[in-house]
Amino acid sequence: MTVSEIRQQFFDFFERKGHAIVPSAPLVIKNDPTLLFTNAGMNQFKDYFLGNESAPVKRIANSQKCLRVSGKHNDLEEVGVDTYHHTLFEMLGNWSFGDYFKKEAIEWAWELLTEVYKLNPQDLYVTVFEGDETDKVPMDSESNELWAKLIDPSHILLASKKDNFWEMGDTGPCGPCTEIHVDLRSTEEKSNIPGASLVNNDHPQVIEIWNLVFMQFNRKANGSLEPLPATHVDTGMGLERLAMALQGKQSNYDTDLFQALIQHMEKLAGKGYGKSEPTDIALRVIADHIRAIAFSIADGQLPANNGAGYVIRRILRRAVRYGYQTLELKEPFLFTLIPVLVEQMGHPYKELVSQENLITKVIREEELSFFRTLEQGIKRMDLLMEATRGQHNNTLEGTAVFELYDTYGFPLDLIQLIGREHGFSVDEAGFNQELTKQKERSRAATGIETDDWQQVNEENPTEFIGYDVIQCDTTIIRYRKVTQKQREFYQLVLSQTPFYAESGGQVGDTGWLIDSQGNKTRIFDVKKENNLIVHLCESLPASLGETLSAQIELNRRINIQKNHSATHLLHHALRTVLGTHVEQKGSLVSPDYLRFDFSHFAKVTEEEMEQVISLMEQQISANIPLNEKRNTPISEAQSMGAMALFGEKYGDLVRVIQFGESIELCGGTHVKSTGEIGLIHIQSEAAVAAGIRRIEVISGQAAETYFKQESALMTEVRTMFKNPKDVLKSIQDLMDQNQGLGKEIEALIKERNKGIKRDLESKLEEINGIPCVCQEVSIDTNSVKDILFQLKGQYPSFVGIIGNIDGDKCGLSVIISDDLVASKLWNATQWIREVAPMIQGGGGGQPFFATAGGKNSNGIKSALSALKNKL
RNA sequence: GGGGAUGUAGCUCAGUUGGCUAGAGCGCUUGACUGGCAGUCAAGAGGUCGUCGGUUCGAGCCCGAUCUUCUCCA
């Protein structure tokens, strides 16, 4: 049975049990501050569990792409070392939202595994929560009894809170779970050691395949549990592990899903799988990581140096590291796996096919950049080894190694490897100490504490009515205090709101809540947490229970709307001018400007840019009215030709924004007709990553101000040039002239200095047999220096002492030829320091040349004679 | 979001506690040698030392702000 068939049978089974089959949500999470990536099947249903939203259907099943790189279940550094952990994996799941509970969940799971997938019941073990005293939760005897009817009691095991009590986070829904494990060992091994003793013991062939979570509690901020009003079922079964069990393989990597990738790498590296442990690990790491990287990029998450993008970069670099170190691949190779992956997984995941070009380009570019980093690191590594040789027992110091790792991105294991080759060891304890320090710093800086929600009114969750009104009456449903970086603020949930919450690139509204007394509470930002609209303010309104008037800052909203509609026109214009490969990869719509990132493989030329602007201007002056359709079925929207974005999650009902030919799925706020946008101006076009360009545009008021200022500036320039016919030529002429004059002055100064030099030479005297010039001149210090160096070059034995007056400043310079410095141990610096006070200044230099500066030119004469007396 | 590093000639970089008139290699221009190419030699052009402000007699170097790029942590 292939992986695709396994997936399909899962869907068919739960469809028969009355479940709706829904598509996988994107990998990248937008409206959840606690998560960077979808890491479990339930992520997209979080709001249903939290009670922020009610589920449209009560039974759902799907296969969800998930990414896990850290946490209690998985760590990036472990993936590939064993044969059953992954970064990206598919999670098959079935859900009940306040519908069926333990009985059906357990019975159906059993039916599917034993009757559809035909797993041998003798190979299956289940675990049941044993209860926990500190939480005062009893054992899950209900599950225990249900299982006892299906499976040999010796295959039912009790497990602790650590393994069998599931929690969404520090607070929120939680409950006991029951896990199904499968024993895939040979008959002989099974008879030697009973499978029951290997469950939950990290045995590669006795593994958990399905987890059934029964949500029945809510954990509060003080740690206590309260029962949930409605109970839910959340299950998750790793497709990769299931495939291994059903295909009778010893490892996930032996299934058809991974073999194609591994075989490609075997050919490329000229090394076979299954011959040596290090090679196998490297091949597994690469086969695993390429999936995570490719899917993330397809969902719009590019490698970057912070946030979610940094996680992707780290995964990519880990894969390259294994290829570089173990497989000895010294040039980019990851990108060559993309066609294989597309062949393998392009069918269920169409985004891979349509984004193939971009994914390949981005990965290749990232690989190249990492190879550059490695090259730099190797140079630094050489320096470090040179500096350490023969010291500290040839141990590279932890702080130095950490610097190499932290600042220059050179991987620790590579440092150790190269070190070993040259006879050095690494002070790992010292390194880890530095790493811990850095982690603590970061944690301290991001510390955020949230109190429990305080319920004020029992009403329905927030409704956004800001498409139609800018002001409305509302009440506070609940609020909580949040502390971040010693700054306290409050989050409010309102019964209804005109405030747009930051989403789809459009920033949140600002405004006020006003009570009946006219007291204003400033709302400084509005964000979404999952689908809950949260208003941020620095202090609570005085009267929490009463009806308040919510008002948004209108002028700011208007500017935002202009920029948002302009974004749509820009998107459409780019696709028209450059081609339909242009897709939105990021967007920011603020009151001041708009920023639009899109896929395109070359710089947008000036001509193309001209076309884009004029197309946008045409549409603005045509004053096309907004055609807004709310609650449109997604199928209908797509048949209208609406553009949907990859990596964006859409519900069944969507909102469509149309301005003529520009049709997009969009939840943002817009102008009523394009004419309102007014002027536009493109401020910049630049690259942000391989294959991704960024355009920044201003519109409306901001553009008007810009053009006004430019025009005023131009007028000033013209006036300065006495209104010439051709301003550019005037400026060019002026610049040419200026350059010519500069050179002329330089030549004149040189000429003058020559004269002064000749003059000084004529006053050359011998003091105690040493040729010496001691004079006062009125030129700048730089020229003095110039002349003195020339004289020093001319006379093998020579002392020059010059005092100069330059405006209201004055200076002293002494030069001594090298032979006198050597033979008489004269020191110009010492001399100049001694006499500098005479001109109320200070100075210094080197033994053969020193200068001093000061304010009192009356002191020059005495300073000069004092210096002369040194000879 | 927090830390570290980085920015000097067209490119790759050096510049030691602030003071040897801002350097090297490659590239570029010109000339010489050789029958041509390749090459060798010689001469030369090319720099607001990221930007702004400060300290100092003097700043590429020190201090503050800001931008770029890289990197680690969250």
Side-chain angles (χ1 to χ4, degrees), chain A residues 472-476 493-498 513 545-550:
Chain A
C472 71
D473 284 349
T474 190
T475 51
I476 297 173
V493 177
L494 304 176
S495 59
Q496 57 174 6
T497 181
L513 293 179
E546 80 172 73
T547 301
L548 301 165
S549 169

Side-chain angles (χ1 to χ4, degrees), chain A residues 516-816:
Chain A
S516 55
Q517 315 292 311
N519 298 316
K520 288 182 168 184
T521 302
R522 173 80 181 163
I523 301 294
F524 65 86
D525 201 1
V526 182
K527 288 183 190 294
K528 266 191 194 178
E529 282 197 7
N530 303 302
N531 280 327
L532 198 62
I533 300 176
V534 179
H535 304 72
L536 310 185
C537 56
E538 270 163 9
S539 59
L540 286 172
S543 38
L544 287 165
E546 80 172 73
T547 301
L548 301 165
S549 169
Q551 294 183 7
I552 64 168
E553 201 174 332
L554 184 58
N555 194 43
R556 185 170 177 276
R557 162 71 87 75
I558 289 173
N559 287 331
I560 293 172
Q561 292 186 167
K562 288 177 180 173
N563 280 334
H564 201 156
S565 301
T567 303
H568 284 209
L569 296 186
L570 174 64
H571 190 182
H572 177 252
L574 286 168
R575 285 173 70 92
T576 310
V577 174
L578 303 177
T580 49
H581 63 277
V582 167
E583 271 169 14
Q584 177 171 337
K585 287 292 163 205
S587 162
L588 174 72
V589 179
S590 79
D592 305 319
Y593 71 108
L594 72 92
R595 191 175 72 201
F596 189 74
D597 296 349
F598 58 100
S599 49
H600 183 57
F601 294 115
K603 185 172 169 57
V604 182
T605 64
E606 269 179 49
E607 299 83 66
E608 287 166 339
M609 199 61 96
E610 285 299 322
Q611 290 178 42
V612 168
I613 296 172
S614 67
L615 196 56
M616 287 174 73
E617 283 168 347
Q618 272 170 33
Q619 293 186 307
I620 290 169
S621 59
N623 201 19
I624 305 165
L626 164 69
N627 178 16
E628 176 196 358
K629 287 202 174 115
R630 295 182 202 166
N631 298 320
T632 306
I634 190 153
S635 53
E636 191 183 314
Q638 274 164 344
S639 64
M640 281 172 75
M643 268 185 288
L645 305 179
F646 282 105
E648 202 67 46
K649 181 189 155 198
Y650 296 103
D652 299 330
L653 296 178
V654 294
R655 182 162 170 266
V656 180
I657 294 297
Q658 177 177 23
F659 289 109
E661 287 169 16
S662 156
I663 310 171
E664 294 197 34
L665 303 183
C666 178
T669 62
H670 287 271
V671 297
K672 292 275 175 289
S673 62
T674 55
E676 289 177 35
I677 297 170
L679 295 171
I680 50 163
H681 175 248
I682 295 191
Q683 289 199 302
S684 69
E685 193 272 347
V688 279
I692 309 286
R693 312 290 304 180
R694 167 172 294 175
I695 288 182
E696 290 183 344
V697 177
I698 51 175
S699 75
Q701 276 179 2
E704 265 171 52
T705 313
Y706 170 81
F707 285 121
K708 267 186 202 152
Q709 280 173 351
E710 285 297 293
S711 150
L713 183 67
M714 199 59 212
T715 310
E716 268 184 65
V717 172
R718 276 179 192 283
T719 313
M720 281 173 84
F721 282 93
K722 314 281 181 218
N723 295 312
K725 275 187 200 151
D726 187 343
V727 188
L728 285 182
K729 188 172 175 299
S730 304
I731 294 174
Q732 189 59 53
D733 287 351
L734 187 69
M735 278 164 55
D736 291 347
Q737 202 184 0
N738 191 36
Q739 199 180 7
L741 288 174
K743 287 204 167 143
E744 227 171 286
I745 287 172
E746 212 176 296
L748 283 172
I749 286 176
K750 271 193 181 152
E751 205 50 45
R752 182 202 66 183
N753 288 352
K754 260 188 212 167
I756 293 171
K757 194 186 119 197
R758 270 197 301 275
D759 192 37
L760 289 173
E761 277 187 274
S762 71
K763 290 170 183 163
L764 191 82
E765 49 190 322
E766 278 203 15
I767 299 173
N768 295 331
I770 297 161
C772 170
V773 167
C774 184
Q775 290 297 323
E776 184 178 331
V777 293
S778 31
I779 53 173
D780 62 295
T781 316
N782 254 342
S783 294
V784 174
K785 195 180 190 182
D786 198 13
I787 293 166
L788 285 177
F789 271 94
Q790 284 179 34
L791 288 172
K792 173 175 171 269
Q794 265 170 261
Y795 300 93
S797 199
F798 176 75
V799 171
I801 300 165
I802 301 289
N804 69 310
I805 301 174
D806 182 17
D808 57 349
K809 283 183 178 178
C810 63
L812 295 166
S813 305
V814 173
I815 200 161
I816 306 171

Side-chain angles (χ1 to χ4, degrees), chain A residues 821-834:
Chain A
V821 172
S823 61
K824 305 218 174 212
L825 295 176
W826 283 348
N827 189 323
T829 307
Q830 274 175 23
W831 293 6
I832 211 87
R833 289 221 166 108
E834 277 172 40

